[in-house]
Amino acid sequence: MTSFALEPIYGSLILAIAAVVVTTAVIFMVTPTTTDPKRRRWLIGLRMTAAAVLMLAMLRPTLVRTDSRPADAALIVAVDTSRSMTLPDGDGGDRWSSQVEAWQKLAEGLSGQDTTLSLRLLGYDASTRTLPSFGPDALSDVKPDGDQTDLQAAATAAIAAAQGQPIAGVVMMGDGNQTAPVTAGGVGRVIETLNSLGVPFWTVPIGPPRGEAMSRDVAVDALPENYQLFAGNQIEISFQLHSRGMSGTDLPVRLTWIAADGSRVETATRNVAVDQAIDVAAVVVPVTAPSPGTYQLEVSADVQDGELVVTNNVQIAFVDVREGGGRILYLFGNLDQEQSLIRRSLRRFPDLDLTYRWIPTDTVKSWPVDFRGFFEPGKFDIYVIGDLDADAIGDRQLEQLVETIGAGAGLVTLGGYQSYGPGGYATSPLADIIPVQMDASERRVVGSVNPPENQSDAPVSIRLTRNHPITDLGGGDPSQAWQQLPSLLGANLWQGPKIAPGVQVLLESERADPLLVVGQYGRGRTAALAFDSTWRWWRGGDSDAHRRFWRQLMLWLLSREESGDEIIIIQLLSRRFSSEQPPNFRAVADSPDLPMFAEIVSIKDDVIQTLDITTEASSESTESNDESAVLGTLPKLTPGIYRLRVGAKSSASPIKPAQVAFQVLDESRELAQPMADPVFLRQLADLTRDHGGGAYSADQIGELVNRILERRKQAETPVIEKLTLGDGPGTAWPLFILFATALSAEWFLRRRWGLA
């Protein structure tokens, strides 16, 4: 619609008319009279022309045109570029081809329809990026190779992609599977934000929907990464069996030992009954450790008809089987430095498997504690009891412990306020096997604030009385080594060692009070320590002596001799990990300033890859100065099984290389979920239904195009265009030229006629 209007200066038409009248009157009044009336008319005409130009500039005549059209806005389209788009679409093709075709139809349908609508094309997987082109062929060079799908990040990026421009709508194509971790309310929270802004959200689901008949799956999960076993021992292997669409089926599960040379021996088979369509069964299978060596324990579920994903039917654990070795149970009543550093020392040795349990004194009302078979023969090889009252264990379990020691297990008791006589052991079943004489009259009430009377006061210096594998701290003179250790904070005073075969006093105080007495009971060995402050050796800088003493004590109880070989211990946080998340590793050698190397060996083809490592500075809070430690990071590797090997650079070093096996997994969560989730995408679109949002299949792109254009028409707003005389160079310059020409001509004529 077009109209005409005047927009006079100062907004007053009356003022403009008055100015015109006054100007006209002045022109007639000031124009000089001439002998020739014709000349005067020329002068008045030229002056009136100049005045008319000024009057037009003052009245500002304006041509007004009013039109309705959509405001400029952006349409954001996000396409899925993750690996799941390479899976079948349910119609004989792949999802990526279906998505590319859907985009082409959308781009062609919108092309040229609305010049005020700008397209923005995004690709999303684990991250979201803007694609450089938004034409029908924009996806021709894009590959679906993302390892995760983050719908939340894609929706957030769609809002940001508008760059401050109004959003006409957001279109999201994909299979609807959120495989990246969900944070801050997920994608639904972002769509609610779009709804609050009045922006429609349209989805185009790609891929076959979930259904019981199409999503049958069996998966082995929760198998521990590694085990350290001892040859001939029995252990329970626990894992979970996940199943979907297998109700009423017995699923065979097989456990197989895989030796270092690749040979396979099936060790157990179980049939797991499935009662529900979606089921998780906890499975426990007892197996016997094979001969010493390194193995892989493969737990596999037979592939069932209809499974689309079979890579999750198998899981592997890494197993180190050692000859001899020992499983240690450490029971203690105080959370002091002694138990902390004993555990720390023993845990450094891979052939010693430590289990510990704290029984606080404030639980005395629930004593004896039910240890659930801990004292049965074969459960543990060594029992360590530190400053724990006999009532906490109870006579029935102590009697069972006596039988276990007689059958060949080892026992070591530590000093403390609730040990030996003060702890009630003089009248307990252990009185027959502890190698020292105890006084029942010393019995102390649990929790008493008064310490036992029969205790040695600090400091207690140690004197070696007999050379023994337990007391060999290395170096030169053993007696000198013990005298140089920091003194103890106290010790229990016994009636003396028992007079029996095999009982020996290995350490004593300067007052000749026995501090360490060893003995035998049946086929087992026992040791009684009068002290519980060996932690002072560690804190005093003799951590190596602390570790060596406790290790040698454990090995003697196991009837094994310490080889004395220095070793390298590799610490790898995970033995199974994704190729995208390789962990760090740490290696510690029992030798100072030892140059080391690290390399990865592929078990499949024996290819060796050398790694970069850095030397870790020692500190009092971590390791002693008698050790070397290196750090490194595993590189990104293709899925498979490898070995990390760390050793001394010098071939003359007596330290043997150490190695640990690990598995790099193809943990693509994209490929592990073969079914699309169109229901989820439909639910997201329905959040903006009030603003026109909805879900459209790949065959309904034409309807989506019509819906977008319809929304654009509903968004039309009046647009007013004004053309005012003198506002632009097209009209201002002609007015100026006309004004200047009239005045110049008037002045020229007056000069010529002698009137100037």
Side-chain angles (χ1 to χ4, degrees):
M1 183 178 65
T2 304
S3 61
F4 181 79
L6 294 176
E7 295 185 357
I9 60 173
Y10 304 115
S12 175
L13 182 61
I14 296 176
L15 179 62
I17 293 175
V20 171
V21 173
V22 171
T23 301
T24 303
V26 170
I27 289 175
F28 278 98
M29 292 174 61
V30 301
T31 301
T33 58
T34 61
T35 57
D36 187 353
K38 185 178 180 180
R39 292 182 178 180
R40 189 171 188 271
R41 287 195 297 270
W42 268 103
L43 295 177
I44 291 176
L46 291 173
R47 290 185 177 184
M48 289 295 293
T49 300
V53 172
L54 290 177
M55 294 304 102
L56 283 174
M58 292 175 58
L59 294 174
R60 292 170 52 85
T62 302
L63 188 65
V64 181
R65 185 171 62 187
T66 304
D67 192 13
S68 294
R69 62 181 179 217
D72 290 344
L75 177 68
I76 315 300
V77 182
V79 296
D80 191 344
T81 58
S82 66
R83 293 176 63 186
S84 65
M85 300 309 289
T86 62
L87 295 172
D89 62 358
D91 294 325
D94 61 84
R95 301 177 192 178
W96 179 251
S97 299
S98 298
Q99 183 175 240
V100 170
E101 183 179 354
W103 160 252
Q104 289 174 342
K105 291 180 180 179
L106 180 65
E108 291 171 355
L110 294 174
S111 177
Q113 296 294 325
D114 188 349
T115 58
T116 63
L117 182 66
S118 59
L119 278 177
R120 309 283 170 78
L121 181 60
L122 307 179
Y124 69 91
D125 39 61
S127 59
T128 305
R129 61 200 178 281
T130 301
L131 300 181
S133 173
F134 48 82
D137 298 329
L139 301 181
S140 59
D141 296 329
V142 180
K143 302 298 182 184
D145 54 7
D147 290 328
Q148 289 183 334
T149 301
D150 195 340
L151 301 177
Q152 178 182 1
T156 303
I159 298 176
Q163 300 176 348
Q165 193 176 15
I167 303 176
V170 175
V171 179
M172 177 174 285
M173 300 182 180
D175 56 25
N177 285 323
Q178 169 82 28
T179 58
V182 177
T183 59
V187 62
R189 185 67 58 83
V190 183
I191 305 306
E192 289 174 357
T193 301
L194 286 176
N195 184 57
S196 67
L197 297 174
V199 177
F201 183 67
W202 297 295
T203 58
V204 182
I206 308 290
R210 300 178 188 272
E212 183 174 336
M214 300 183 65
S215 60
R216 291 165 61 85
D217 187 53
V218 179
V220 177
D221 194 18
L223 177 69
E225 293 183 355
N226 60 285
Y227 292 92
Q228 291 185 355
L229 309 180
F230 303 102
N233 287 351
Q234 190 177 75
I235 185 173
E236 293 181 339
I237 305 299
S238 61
F239 55 91
Q240 292 180 350
L241 186 66
H242 296 250
S243 60
R244 185 172 61 243
M246 300 291 178
S247 178
T249 306
D250 287 343
L251 300 177
V253 180
R254 309 177 190 279
L255 278 70
T256 304
W257 292 112
I258 304 176
D261 60 1
S263 59
R264 302 169 64 93
V265 176
E266 189 172 301
T267 183
T269 303
R270 289 290 184 275
N271 286 330
V272 181
V274 179
D275 300 325
Q276 302 178 16
I278 299 178
D279 189 74
V280 179
V283 186
V284 178
V285 181
V287 299
T288 301
S291 57
T294 57
Y295 297 84
Q296 299 170 34
L297 179 60
E298 179 186 88
V299 179
S300 61
D302 289 1
V303 177
Q304 303 298 305
D305 293 338
E307 280 195 86
L308 297 180
V309 177
V310 298
T311 55
N312 56 3
N313 288 48
V314 179
Q315 199 163 63
I316 292 175
F318 297 96
V319 183
D320 294 326
V321 181
R322 303 178 182 276
E323 187 170 5
R327 296 159 299 175
I328 305 170
L329 175 63
Y330 184 11
L331 304 177
F332 52 88
N334 291 319
L335 285 177
D336 53 14
Q337 296 188 70
E338 184 71 348
Q339 58 82 24
S340 175
L341 291 178
I342 290 176
R343 287 160 44 201
R344 187 170 184 174
S345 287
L346 296 181
R347 280 189 161 179
R348 292 192 65 257
F349 302 102
D351 56 349
L352 299 177
D353 182 21
L354 178 64
T355 300
Y356 63 90
R357 186 162 178 185
W358 170 44
I359 299 92
T361 56
D362 57 6
T363 63
V364 64
K365 292 183 179 180
S366 61
W367 289 358
V369 177
D370 183 5
F371 289 94
R372 300 184 180 182
F374 277 9
F375 302 108
E376 294 177 357
K379 189 70 174 180
F380 292 96
D381 302 298
I382 301 174
Y383 294 85
V384 181
I385 302 177
D387 198 10
L388 178 65
D389 197 277
D391 290 345
I393 304 175
D395 286 349
R396 183 182 61 82
Q397 294 182 119
L398 288 176
E399 289 173 357
Q400 193 176 36
L401 177 58
V402 171
E403 295 177 3
T404 300
I405 302 302
L411 172 68
V412 55
T413 52
L414 278 63
Y417 288 172
Q418 297 299 143
S419 300
Y420 305 109
Y425 289 93
T427 57
S428 76
L430 284 190
D432 293 333
I433 66 174
I434 294 178
V436 296
Q437 301 179 46
M438 296 175 287
D439 186 354
S441 65
E442 297 176 350
R443 185 70 168 100
R444 180 174 181 267
V445 177
V446 177
S448 173
V449 296
N450 298 318
E453 296 181 358
N454 204 9
Q455 291 273 324
S456 294
D457 297 330
V460 176
S461 298
I462 302 175
R463 187 170 63 188
L464 180 66
T465 61
R466 183 187 296 269
N467 290 327
H468 192 274
I470 296 177
T471 58
D472 182 9
L473 300 183
D477 183 7
S479 298
Q480 187 70 20
W482 280 98
Q483 290 177 2
Q484 291 177 350
L485 290 176
S487 60
L488 304 172
L489 295 180
N492 290 69
L493 294 176
W494 300 315
Q495 299 290 321
K498 286 182 177 178
I499 308 301
V503 174
Q504 303 177 53
V505 177
L506 304 184
L507 300 174
E508 65 181 14
S509 68
E510 292 182 340
R511 296 170 49 188
D513 295 322
L515 297 178
L516 171 57
V517 180
V518 298
Q520 291 182 331
Y521 181 79
R523 290 187 294 161
R525 292 181 172 182
T526 62
L529 279 65
F531 46 84
D532 66 346
S533 53
T534 60
W535 60 267
R536 301 196 76 236
W537 305 346
W538 186 296
R539 297 304 184 194
D542 290 304
S543 57
D544 185 65
H546 186 274
R547 287 193 298 268
R548 190 177 182 94
F549 169 74
W550 283 105
R551 174 169 172 77
Q552 291 177 165
L553 176 58
M554 297 300 112
L555 295 180
W556 179 82
L557 292 169
L558 290 169
S559 301
R560 286 172 50 192
E561 294 182 0
E562 172 63 275
S563 65
D565 290 342
E566 295 176 326
I567 60 174
I568 295 176
I569 298 176
I570 301 176
Q571 300 169 355
L572 189 61
L573 294 180
S574 178
R575 301 282 289 273
R576 289 196 304 257
F577 51 87
S578 168
S579 58
E580 300 297 326
Q581 297 177 329
N584 298 331
F585 68 88
R586 184 171 181 264
V588 181
D590 287 336
S591 179
D593 302 324
L594 178 69
M596 288 186 281
F597 71 88
E599 60 189 17
I600 290 177
V601 182
S602 172
I603 292 181
K604 180 179 180 180
D605 50 20
D606 290 331
V607 173
I608 298 176
Q609 179 179 351
T610 303
L611 302 181
D612 294 329
I613 55 177
T614 58
T615 301
E616 180 187 42
S618 62
S619 64
E620 182 180 354
S621 61
T622 54
E623 305 294 342
S624 72
N625 293 327
D626 296 328
E627 298 177 340
S628 298
V630 294
L631 303 172
T633 302
L634 297 180
K636 184 176 180 179
L637 300 167
T638 58
I641 298 176
Y642 302 83
R643 293 188 185 276
L644 171 62
R645 181 186 298 157
V646 180
K649 287 186 176 180
S650 173
S651 58
S653 174
I655 300 181
K656 298 179 180 179
Q659 59 183 6
V660 294
F662 61 90
Q663 182 181 18
V664 179
L665 303 173
D666 185 3
E667 282 191 329
S668 175
R669 299 179 62 186
E670 292 295 305
L671 302 182
Q673 299 189 34
M675 298 297 114
D677 198 351
V679 174
F680 182 54
L681 290 179
R682 188 175 299 112
Q683 291 172 343
L684 293 176
D686 285 345
L687 293 175
T688 63
R689 178 173 294 278
D690 293 341
H691 304 292
Y696 296 83
S697 68
D699 297 330
Q700 297 175 316
I701 296 300
E703 298 179 22
L704 175 59
V705 170
N706 293 335
R707 183 59 176 152
I708 293 172
L709 295 177
E710 180 184 343
R711 285 280 304 173
R712 293 296 293 155
K713 291 180 180 179
Q714 295 175 1
E716 288 182 349
T717 57
V719 177
I720 300 175
E721 294 182 351
K722 293 182 179 181
L723 182 60
T724 302
L725 185 66
D727 273 1
T731 57
W733 278 107
L735 285 177
F736 174 76
I737 293 172
L738 182 59
F739 176 79
T741 301
L743 291 183
S744 299
E746 190 271 347
W747 178 82
F748 173 77
L749 291 176
R750 285 193 295 112
R751 286 290 303 269
R752 183 174 181 180
W753 294 334
L755 299 176

